[in-house]
Amino acid sequence: MRKTEVTGQLTMKRYVIGVDFGTLSARAVLVDPKDGREVAEAVSVYAHGVMDEFLPDGRKLPPQFALQHPADYLRALRETVPKVLEKAGADGRDIAALGIDFTACTLLPVDRDGTPLCFSDAWAHEPHAWVKLWKHHAAQPEADEINRLAAERGEDWLLRYGGKLSCEWVLPKILEVLRHAPTVFEATDRFTEAGDWLSRVLTGKETHSAPFAGYKACWCAESGYPSDDFFTALDPALHGLVGTRLAAQVAPVGGIAGNLNAHGAELTGLPVGTPLSLPMIDGHAAMPAMNLGDGEMMLVVGTSSAQMLNARAGIQIPGICGYTDGGVIPGLCTYEAGQCCVGDTFDWFVRNCVPVDYAKEAEKKGQNLHAFLREKAEKLRPGESGLVALDWLGGNRNILGDASLRAVMVGMTLATRPEEMYRAWIEATAFGLRVIMERYEEYGLTVRRICAGGGIAQKDPMLMQIYADVTGKEIRVTGTKQAGALGSAMYAAVAGGFYPDIRAASVAMSPPDCAHYRPIPANVSAYEPLYRAYRKLHDLFGGVK
C-alpha cells in the first residue's frame, strides 16, 4: 500500500467515506482527502420509504404521521459502503475514517441496550414506538403547549429558537409519546436522534452530538437543556427527563464519536477500530462542502430546504429555527431556517395534478413529468399566469412555525394550465425563501449571495434562475451532487488526522462551482408585485397581525 502525503503528514490510509442519510435514501461517497475528489458513490433507497399511511403490519396511521423503519438504515450501510469500496478498487484497510450525517429531528425510542422498541414484536404494532421522521407533524398540539408554557414563564432558551419551537423538534415528539402512548414512554430508556443511534450501533459507544442536541433539543453549551423545573411544570411525568430518557452528556462538533466495533465492521466492511466522526445533521454537513464565504447563505434544495448562515456572534431572531454556537464550525454561530415542503411540493403536484394527456406526451418524448412541465413552464414570463401560491403543503417551518397551516393558490381560471400551476408552486417556494432571507437581514445578518446545493439545485436551472430573480441575489451552485455526503467525508478527514479542523478540510476539499445564476433585472422588477401579493397572503393566512 503506497504512502500519501496530506498536510505534511504521511499516512498509509488513502481515502475517507461519508454517508448521507436522507429522507428517502442514503448516499455514500468515497473521497480522496487531498483534494476532495469523489472517487466513487453509491445510493441505497429505503425499502419502507416514509410510512405515512400504514405500519408494516398494515395498521392505519393517524393523520400527519411520518415514520421510518430503522432496519432501512442498517441495510443502507451494508449496501453503500462496500459498494463504494468495490467501485474504487479499494478495501477497508484504505479507509482512514468514516463520517455520517442524518435528517433531523428524526427521533426513535430505544431500550437499555440501544435496540429500537419497534424491533420488538411487543411494540411493532404501536406507531409511537417507531422512528418519527423530521416531517412527522402530528406533534403540533404538543409544540403549542410547550411554546405557551415557555412564553408564560419567560424561558430564555425559547428566544434562541425564534420564539417558537417547531413540532418537528425533540421535545414536542417526546411529549406526544407521553400524551398518546404512555406505555411506550415508560418502556423507553432513551429518546435518541437516528444519527446518534446509528453511531451507537457502529461503535457500541453512546454519544450525543451537539448539532442534534443544540438545534433540535433546546440544548446549549452554557446552560444545557431547559430546567427540570420547566419539564415538571409541563408534565410531572417529565421530572428527571434529562439524564434518563434524554441524555445529559453532549459531545462537541468536530470530534470522534468512537471506533467501529465488530458489528460496525460487519455492517460496513471496514476494519474494527476505524474512527467514526461525530454525526452531523444532513443539511448542516453540506456547509463545509460549499466552503462558504462571508455573507453567503447556504441553501440546500431537496424534499425540504435549509437556509443557513454563519456569524461571529449569536443574536435572537424571531421566527427562525435558531442558532448554535459551534454547531457546524467551531468558533462560529450558525443560524438555521428552512422550508419543510419544497421538492415534496413539486412531487405532489406531478403525482396528483397532471392530466393523462400530459403523461402520455411526456412518455412519447422520453421525458419524466418534471422535465416535461419544466420545458413548458420556462416559456412563461414572470406573472403571466396570474397565479400566486402559498408553499404550505407541509405547513410552515419558518418564519411562522406552524405545521397546521395549509397551502393556497389564487388566480386560477378555466384556462389555467398545469405548467402554470407548476411554475407558481416553484415561485411560491422562492417567495418563502425570500421571507426567510429578509428576516435574517432585518436582524442585522448580511446575505451577500447564496450558495446552493442539493439535487434540485443542479438539475433544475429554471428553478435556480427564478430563485435568483425573486431574491435579487447571485446564486452559485456547488459542484458536488452529494454535498451532505462530501461534508461528512470532510469531518471524517478531520477524524482521520488529515486536517486539524473542519475549516482546513473545507478549504482543501471543496469542489469548484458548477453554475452561477445572476438576477435578470426585468424579471426582478416583474416579481416585486407578485412578492407583495405573496406577503399579503402569507400574513393573512398565517395569522400575522
Side-chain angles (χ1 to χ4, degrees):
M1 202 176 299
R2 68 179 184 273
K3 292 182 178 181
T4 302
E5 186 172 352
V6 181
T7 64
Q9 296 180 349
L10 293 178
T11 176
M12 297 292 285
K13 305 293 187 179
R14 293 186 290 163
Y15 303 117
V16 290
I17 292 176
V19 188
D20 170 36
F21 287 85
T23 302
L24 298 174
S25 63
R27 298 159 291 276
V29 293
L30 184 144
V31 177
D32 187 332
K34 295 192 305 296
D35 54 13
R37 179 173 61 93
E38 297 171 36
V39 180
E41 67 176 73
V43 177
S44 174
V45 176
Y46 301 148
H48 296 86
V50 177
M51 299 184 294
D52 53 10
E53 295 186 36
F54 301 96
L55 286 179
D57 66 2
R59 176 172 176 172
K60 177 72 174 173
L61 291 172
Q64 299 295 306
F65 267 58
L67 310 180
Q68 287 199 311
H69 200 315
D72 289 345
Y73 311 146
L74 304 180
R75 176 172 168 265
L77 280 172
R78 284 195 171 97
E79 291 183 349
T80 60
V81 177
K83 180 61 69 175
V84 294
L85 290 170
E86 178 187 345
K87 286 184 175 181
D91 65 38
R93 292 170 297 177
D94 293 323
I95 306 304
L98 173 68
I100 63 173
D101 65 75
F102 225 102
T103 62
C105 165
T106 297
L107 196 71
L108 68 156
V110 302
D111 65 16
R112 188 174 299 276
D113 296 325
T115 302
L117 295 190
C118 62
F119 280 178
S120 167
D121 290 342
W123 297 108
H125 67 285
E126 171 53 67
H128 292 282
W130 290 79
V131 177
K132 290 184 176 177
L133 188 59
W134 62 268
K135 61 195 259 180
H136 174 92
H137 288 159
Q140 185 63 53
E142 286 73 26
D144 293 340
E145 184 178 350
I146 291 170
N147 290 328
R148 280 195 301 270
L149 179 63
E152 289 170 2
R153 290 168 54 96
E155 297 283 344
D156 290 342
W157 54 264
L158 188 64
L159 300 177
R160 294 200 313 274
Y161 299 91
K164 183 184 291 188
L165 286 193
S166 167
C167 68
E168 298 175 9
W169 284 192
V170 169
L171 301 185
K173 286 176 176 174
I174 290 177
L175 185 60
E176 180 193 22
V177 174
L178 175 61
R179 292 278 193 263
H180 298 280
T183 54
V184 173
F185 182 86
E186 288 299 322
T188 299
D189 184 70
R190 282 276 196 267
F191 289 98
T192 181
E193 286 275 2
D196 286 333
W197 172 74
L198 200 57
S199 172
R200 183 176 181 179
V201 169
L202 288 167
T203 67
K205 177 183 176 183
E206 184 181 9
T207 56
H208 294 274
S209 166
F212 292 122
Y215 286 100
K216 309 302 178 183
C218 305
W219 173 90
C220 76
E222 293 77 21
S223 58
Y225 291 100
S227 68
D228 188 64
D229 184 55
F230 171 79
F231 286 125
T232 305
L234 184 60
D235 193 298
L238 294 176
H239 173 66
L241 177 70
V242 177
T244 57
R245 292 180 177 87
L246 189 61
Q249 299 301 313
V250 176
V253 68
I256 297 176
N259 301 89
L260 298 192
N261 61 10
H263 185 41
E266 184 270 326
L267 284 169
T268 61
L270 303 178
V272 170
T274 301
L276 175 72
S277 59
L278 199 74
M280 294 294 296
I281 298 173
D282 58 342
H284 300 199
M287 184 170 272
M290 297 185 186
N291 193 22
L292 299 180
D294 289 341
E296 284 194 315
M297 183 177 75
M298 186 191 79
L299 169 66
V300 177
V301 191
T303 53
S304 62
S305 73
Q307 297 90 17
M308 301 179 66
L309 197 61
N310 290 323
R312 298 288 175 185
I315 57 175
Q316 295 162 354
I317 304 179
I320 70 162
C321 293
Y323 71 89
T324 295
D325 190 352
V328 179
I329 299 173
L332 292 177
C333 292
T334 301
Y335 295 81
E336 179 191 24
Q339 296 161 274
C340 56
C341 196
V342 179
D344 273 352
T345 295
F346 314 144
D347 183 60
W348 166 84
F349 182 79
V350 163
R351 286 187 291 106
N352 294 282
C353 304
V354 178
V356 173
D357 59 324
Y358 273 50
K360 289 181 177 179
E361 188 177 349
E363 184 178 2
K364 186 176 179 180
K365 296 178 70 173
Q367 295 178 314
N368 65 42
L369 281 171
H370 287 284
F372 180 77
L373 287 168
R374 188 186 310 127
E375 186 177 89
K376 289 179 174 292
E378 63 188 357
K379 297 175 183 177
L380 300 169
R381 300 185 308 276
E384 180 179 344
S385 69
L387 300 176
V388 179
L390 287 176
D391 53 319
W392 297 348
L393 286 168
N396 179 282
R397 182 183 295 161
N398 302 118
I399 58 175
L400 301 176
D402 188 346
S404 68
L405 294 173
R406 295 293 178 259
V408 175
M409 181 173 284
V410 299
M412 290 181 285
T413 73
L414 291 175
T416 298
R417 305 298 300 161
E419 59 269 25
E420 295 174 328
M421 299 171 71
Y422 187 75
R423 182 176 177 120
W425 286 121
I426 291 174
E427 291 170 342
T429 65
F431 296 144
L433 165 63
R434 180 169 165 178
V435 170
I436 292 169
M437 183 192 74
E438 289 182 345
R439 177 55 59 95
Y440 278 139
E441 294 180 325
E442 180 184 353
Y443 281 81
L445 299 183
T446 300
V447 180
R448 180 171 54 85
R449 68 173 178 173
I450 297 170
C451 181
I456 294 175
Q458 289 200 354
K459 292 185 295 187
D460 196 337
M462 180 187 73
L463 177 143
M464 297 312 300
Q465 186 61 55
I466 289 173
Y467 277 24
D469 293 338
V470 167
T471 62
K473 305 291 185 182
E474 178 188 352
I475 300 177
R476 66 178 179 95
V477 180
T478 183
T480 177
K481 295 180 180 178
Q482 306 293 357
L486 177 58
S488 286
M490 291 179 180
Y491 284 101
V494 176
F498 292 104
Y499 298 100
D501 55 49
I502 191 62
R503 293 197 212 192
S506 177
V507 170
M509 297 174 66
S510 296
D513 299 335
C514 68
H516 284 79
Y517 297 89
R518 294 175 176 83
I520 299 170
N523 292 350
V524 172
S525 297
Y527 275 124
E528 282 303 313
L530 293 174
Y531 178 65
R532 289 196 295 271
Y534 175 90
R535 284 307 303 253
K536 288 181 179 178
L537 291 172
H538 174 280
D539 293 351
L540 175 63
F541 285 90
V544 178
K545 298 179 181 178

